[in-house]
Amino acid sequence: MTGEGERRPLPPGSTIGMIGGGQLGRMAALAAARLGYRVHVFSPEADSPAAQVSAAVTVADYSDQAAIEDFACKVDVVTFEFENIPAESVRHLAAHVPVRPCWSVLEVAQDRVAEKRFFASIGAATAPWRPVSGLDDLAEAVAAIGRPAVLKTARLGYDGKGQVKIGPDTDLAEAWAALGSGLADSGAGVLEGFIDFAGEISVIVARGVDGDWAAFDPVWNVHRNHILDTTTAPAPIAPALAARAMDIAHRAAEALGVVGLLAVEMFVTADGLLVNEMAPRPHNSGHWTMDACITDQFEQFIRAVCALPLGSPERHSDAEMKNLIGDDVERWLEILDDPHAKLHLYGKSEARPGRKMGHVNRIAPRADRPGV
Ligand code: AMP
């Protein structure tokens, strides 16, 4: 799919097609604009966060093949800020224009079963798991894995949606029913052992068309109500563990042939690292890089997708990122009052509970480089 011509750097002034209109697309579009590119957003939502800052937008459903084809003819490369789009649409896109990362990467990332099998294939451990496609399967899986456990939809889950915890007294029929529409959409689930982790970390790695790569430092993530609350950079973990986490992310990007970014989330346990999940795009746990690294994740994403040389991911400062969820965004003026806080808002008009409205980065000199 990537002929030699397609590996050449895409010159500034070219148009990047962005599938998805959320905040990740918005921040990527801003980074693209800094490098002189135009972004054309494809999103079912009118006035999406990404469309507000982009040169062009197509408002249509991800399964609208005529709209997809028209979009493909107007852009020079296609990438994603949202990966749950139909395979058929990606096939249509790829017939006209380079798609980075390619479909096979999205296919693995869309499906927890494929994802877990993939990580096993590269020697990276995950929580114990079993595929589950019915109540009988679930009973067998719970008997094999034990309680507590977590039942998840195999597809279309995010921010804890499509998940049910199975405790000592949970009725399995109720748990199965609770997953409800998620399972109806996807047809399958996964049962995972509940991990009593010391913490959660993630690594974002960028990989270019020629296999060059650069990873950001591993970071420490704290979730609240299953949604990322804060990210601390660097993660307070031993250097050997940080190196192992970066190696897992790099090997995954390499094995998948990612061109773009790959974010890998992991649990830190007494027995080492367990991979939770991955995303082949910019990630919420990389927002701190906007104010604390020489090249941030969004610029790195655009560089990779446009076949440009990657920039340095070096962390010049320590950072804490806090998500502004729902009503948190009302504190915007108070945050701006703190001269060391960097506020990033996503242009969403309605602050619904659980909705990511923005984030704030607070940076400090690197603790490991006193006096610099
Ligand atoms: P996920 O959508 O899989 O990223 O899950 C969202 C969050 O739920 C994770 O970041 C963890 O905090 C928690 N979680 C998910 N799976 C497990 C597990 N197997 N054991 C313990 N906590 C989990």
Side-chain angles (χ1 to χ4, degrees):
M1 203 209 77
T2 42
E4 278 310 302
E6 291 165 354
R7 300 174 87 92
R8 281 199 299 269
L10 197 63
S14 306
T15 301
I16 301 167
M18 177 72 64
I19 302 283
Q23 63 269 17
L24 302 176
R26 178 186 181 94
M27 292 182 275
L30 293 169
R34 279 201 308 273
L35 290 173
Y37 294 99
R38 299 166 63 82
V39 169
H40 184 148
V41 170
F42 189 109
S43 162
E45 188 195 347
D47 192 40
S48 63
Q52 288 171 12
V53 301
S54 294
V57 60
T58 298
V59 178
D61 197 83
Y62 295 124
S63 58
D64 180 338
Q65 301 308 328
I68 285 276
E69 191 143 350
D70 179 60
F71 168 75
C73 294
K74 291 178 171 156
V75 301
D76 299 299
V77 65
V78 166
T79 193
F80 308 85
E81 64 102 51
F82 169 86
E83 62 269 21
N84 286 318
I85 84 158
E88 185 57 27
S89 300
V90 183
R91 260 193 294 276
H92 252 86
L93 289 169
H96 291 90
V97 67
V99 175
R100 296 177 180 145
C102 62
W103 167 243
S104 56
V105 178
L106 272 76
E107 205 173 22
V108 178
Q110 277 186 353
D111 183 337
R112 289 188 193 271
V113 170
E115 194 174 81
K116 288 175 194 305
R117 289 196 174 124
F118 165 71
F119 279 106
S121 78
I122 63 161
T126 60
W129 67 278
R130 291 278 187 288
V132 173
S133 56
L135 188 51
D136 292 347
D137 270 1
L138 177 61
E140 269 176 42
V142 171
I145 284 174
R147 300 178 187 231
V150 191
L151 176 62
K152 301 181 179 179
T153 53
R155 305 174 79 88
L156 303 175
Y158 69 100
D159 286 348
K161 292 189 176 68
Q163 291 193 19
V164 182
K165 186 169 175 187
I166 298 190
D169 304 320
T170 305
D171 179 83
L172 297 186
E174 275 173 26
W176 186 250
L179 231 49
S181 60
L183 282 171
D185 288 346
S186 68
V190 172
L191 186 80
E192 289 178 20
F194 189 83
I195 304 302
D196 183 20
F197 51 71
E200 295 184 76
I201 62 168
S202 56
V203 175
I204 298 173
V205 61
R207 186 172 176 279
V209 280
D210 293 321
D212 47 324
W213 66 285
F216 293 102
D217 287 333
V219 294
W220 187 261
N221 300 319
V222 176
H223 292 78
R224 201 153 42 108
N225 302 325
H226 292 281
I227 301 174
L228 184 65
D229 182 35
T230 62
T231 293
T232 303
I237 55 175
L241 198 64
R244 165 104 181 111
M246 289 164 98
D247 179 57
I248 290 172
H250 172 223
R251 280 189 297 119
E254 195 60 39
L256 290 164
V258 169
V259 175
L261 300 184
L262 186 72
V264 183
E265 296 182 68
M266 304 170 218
F267 300 132
V268 179
T269 76
D271 302 326
L273 296 172
L274 298 178
V275 172
N276 177 27
E277 61 179 3
M278 67 176 182
R281 52 163 169 76
H283 194 258
N284 194 168
S285 69
H287 292 359
W288 65 279
T289 62
M290 297 173 86
D291 297 303
C293 292
I294 291 175
T295 311
D296 69 56
Q297 68 160 345
F298 297 102
E299 178 177 334
Q300 202 73 304
F301 178 52
I302 295 300
R303 283 175 178 246
V305 163
C306 294
L308 307 179
L310 298 179
S312 166
E314 184 185 330
R315 173 172 53 86
H316 55 68
S317 303
D318 290 348
E320 186 182 271
M321 186 283 313
K322 169 128 183 65
N323 266 337
L324 302 173
I325 312 271
D327 289 350
D328 292 348
V329 71
E330 284 167 18
R331 292 175 34 230
W332 60 273
L333 192 52
E334 179 194 324
I335 293 166
L336 286 169
D337 242 351
D338 172 356
H340 291 284
K342 301 291 287 183
L343 179 65
H344 302 262
L345 297 181
Y346 306 151
K348 298 181 184 178
S349 51
E350 203 191 330
R352 290 193 294 270
R355 194 170 196 210
K356 290 174 178 167
M357 303 299 293
H359 67 272
V360 53
N361 286 333
R362 291 191 170 82
I363 65 168
R366 278 181 69 140
D368 61 350
R369 289 183 185 168
V372 174

